[in-house]
Amino acid sequence: MNRPDASLSLRIKEEAQRLGFQLVGISPVKRPAHEESFAEWLRKGFAGELAYMHRTEELRRDPHSVVPWAVSLVSVGMNYFTPLPRSAMSDAPRGWISRYAWGNDYHEVIRSRLELLLEAVREIGPRPLEGKAFVDSGPVLERDHAGVAGLGWIGKNTHLISPQKGSWFFLGELFLSIPLVYDQPIRDRCGNCDLCLKACPTAAFVGPYILDARRCISYLTIELKGWIPRYLRPLVGNHIFGCDICQEVCPYNIKAQPTSEPAYRPREGLYAPDLIPLLSLSQEEFRNRFHGSPIVRAKRRGFLRNVAVALGNIRSVEAVPALIGALHDEESLVRGHAAWALGQLGSKRAIAALKSGLRHEADAEVRSEIEAAINEATAGEQETSSPE
């Protein structure tokens, strides 16, 4: 095999930075350092309903099973941070969408840049040369590889953290068939800090570096396709797509710089949106409004499910008419969570709507949700009317 070319490695990094990647490092293609920890995480069921993680376990643990010709791996990171605060909720019931989803879908942005980087490497590198780009959706343990390449370390909140730039980064990988000069990993600098672990509203961290996805708000509002467990709904707060809390409290993000990438700047209505109008979106309106956005991953039924839960947690009287309308939604998932939200509100109008809905509802699971909501609402009503 040819000796690695230091000048080529440097030029690849320069080109990556020119294409908008603030972080770039190079590592040899080998099995990830934490592959056994990943396997144990799966065995303990912490992946929840992420079946694709189980299907692709061996591919993720051995990159050569995906790209057998690969010798070197270029890991990149692109900043998406926009420093807007959480809404004060004073003028209308508002929801929180994770910062990464405020702009355009990062998959397309990063993939297109990595393809441009591959073209540049083919022009300046030796021939023949093979290359393949991956962005999140491929069977790659990207944070592991990025850590080996010196982009940062995997923190206690399981995010990759750069000591200078924080963790508000999308990651991508470019596998190449040529030897390059490799970077050195960065040591873990979390120290005794556990702010992220304590700040999680749902206690999703079973320990440092170990996330139980089944309790994670991002999983519950994006990846979970069915019913959000009732005991977790109150803990979700006003989050309707993702979370951000474990990154917001990280000291390494205090000096995070705003993104310079126009594609990640907030689209209209995605920063702290008014919740009530979202609950009446039709399938076509949802598709048109979120075309090219990461939010389409949740699909309309999942997104409106989340909106209903947020409105139930906010307990705004203004939301009652919209929630009553959602009791007649075409999706059982939306009807059931709207029922839960009305139960949280517990007003006479909400209870009457629930009782009416129960008489007309045919779906057994939704009926169960309505009955539980009525019981909770009427219990609260009895407590309020108690002479004590």
Side-chain angles (χ1 to χ4, degrees), residues 162-176:
S162 162
Q164 291 82 28
K165 300 180 182 294
S167 64
W168 303 103
F169 286 88
F170 297 126
L171 299 177
E173 300 79 40
L174 179 61
F175 288 89
L176 298 170

Side-chain angles (χ1 to χ4, degrees), residues 173-188:
E173 300 79 40
L174 179 61
F175 288 89
L176 298 170
S177 61
I178 55 175
L180 295 168
V181 175
Y182 303 132
D183 294 290
Q184 295 299 312
I186 296 176
R187 65 176 177 84
D188 186 322

Side-chain angles (χ1 to χ4, degrees), residues 4 86 259 341:
R86 288 180 178 261
T259 182

Side-chain angles (χ1 to χ4, degrees), residues 225-263:
K225 304 309 177 188
W227 300 83
I228 297 176
R230 288 178 192 165
Y231 71 95
L232 288 175
R233 292 174 196 172
L235 306 179
V236 171
N238 71 322
H239 295 93
I240 58 174
F241 191 90
C243 180
D244 287 346
I245 289 176
C246 67
Q247 293 194 83
E248 290 172 346
V249 300
C250 179
Y252 286 99
N253 281 326
I254 291 175
K255 297 182 180 179
Q257 296 299 307
T259 182
S260 58
E261 175 53 55

Side-chain angles (χ1 to χ4, degrees), residues 245-380:
I245 289 176
C246 67
Q247 293 194 83
E248 290 172 346
V249 300
C250 179
Y252 286 99
N253 281 326
I254 291 175
K255 297 182 180 179
Q257 296 299 307
T259 182
S260 58
E261 175 53 55
Y264 301 144
R265 290 173 189 158
R267 291 184 177 190
E268 184 178 355
L270 291 191
Y271 163 60
D274 187 350
L275 288 170
I276 292 175
L278 294 176
L279 202 55
S280 61
L281 288 176
S282 67
Q283 184 66 54
E284 184 178 1
E285 288 169 337
F286 174 82
R287 189 166 48 245
N288 291 337
R289 179 164 182 166
F290 299 116
H291 176 72
S293 162
I295 291 175
V296 298
R297 182 173 180 82
K299 298 185 169 33
R300 175 188 176 273
R301 60 179 177 272
F303 189 66
L304 268 59
R305 169 201 64 187
N306 302 339
V307 171
V309 170
L311 286 169
N313 287 327
I314 294 170
R315 302 191 182 191
S316 169
V317 177
E318 303 169 61
V320 171
L323 287 166
I324 291 175
L327 278 179
H328 306 284
D329 194 88
E330 62 183 345
E331 295 285 352
S332 60
L333 196 66
V334 178
R335 298 198 303 275
H337 287 80
W340 177 85
L342 286 167
Q344 299 304 298
L345 286 159
S347 67
K348 290 182 178 179
R349 187 180 179 188
I351 294 171
L354 286 167
K355 290 179 178 178
S356 174
L358 184 61
R359 288 194 296 270
H360 299 94
E361 181 58 60
D363 185 284
E365 199 154 12
V366 178
R367 287 183 62 85
S368 175
E369 287 285 345
I370 295 175
E371 289 170 351
I374 291 173
N375 291 336
E376 185 163 356
T378 52

